[in-house]
Amino acid sequence: MKKHLQRLNILLSILSILTFTFFPTNAVFAATCTGSACNGMDPAGTTCWNDAIDAVIHYASTIYNINKYSPGCVANWSYTRNTSATWLAAETVGVNTYYGNTTYVWVWNSMYDGSGVVCTKGHKGSSYGNYTVHTTSACA
């Protein structure tokens, strides 16, 4: 019985070493997409959202727009937030704008290839498509 336990302990030790060698705890998980392969994808629910940083933030009135950047995915997107629910839009300049079909406190749009400079803007208004407050371009 002791010999069997010794073999089991040796086997478990080897498995532990192999596990920590091939799957370190600080490993970065593979990106859902990279660069232009991210174009048009919703960052929510992807690995891109997990490592996103706030590259640039611009304010206007009660809203702010964050140019979010994922280094793992090499992708940017626009994230717009307001202090209370209102009509908002998140725009990646020259690419796409998200116009909500109801009032929101925050909105974001799809990702765009971040291998070059990407600019984003936030918009707020009194109704769908009627935006009167705009942030300046947040470029990163």
Side-chain angles (χ1 to χ4, degrees):
M1 181 73 168
K2 279 188 174 183
K3 197 170 193 175
H4 179 67
L5 287 176
Q6 285 176 333
R7 287 182 182 166
L8 182 60
N9 282 338
I10 291 171
L11 179 62
L12 289 175
S13 296
I14 290 171
L15 284 173
S16 295
I17 291 169
L18 289 174
T19 298
F20 288 116
T21 300
F22 292 109
F23 305 104
T25 56
N26 64 349
V28 174
F29 294 100
T32 304
C33 59
T34 305
S36 62
C38 296
N39 288 353
M41 289 183 69
D42 184 346
T46 69
T47 57
C48 305
W49 197 282
N50 298 343
D51 73 344
I53 60 170
D54 297 348
V56 179
I57 302 172
H58 282 205
Y59 297 86
S61 181
T62 59
I63 67 169
Y64 62 91
N65 174 259
I66 303 172
N67 183 325
K68 301 286 264 182
Y69 175 72
S70 165
C73 295
V74 190
N76 295 68
W77 64 93
S78 177
Y79 178 89
T80 301
R81 188 170 179 96
N82 191 56
T83 54
S84 62
T86 189
W87 296 92
L88 294 174
E91 176 186 4
T92 300
V93 179
V95 180
N96 57 24
T97 303
Y98 174 80
Y99 296 106
N101 57 1
T102 187
T103 58
Y104 293 96
V105 174
W106 67 86
V107 294
W108 64 88
N109 67 355
S110 301
M111 294 183 286
Y112 188 72
D113 184 353
S115 58
V117 175
V118 176
C119 297
T120 65
K121 280 182 154 182
H123 309 281
K124 177 182 106 167
S126 58
S127 63
Y128 177 81
N130 183 24
Y131 301 101
T132 55
V133 178
H134 314 277
T135 64
T136 57
S137 292
C139 301

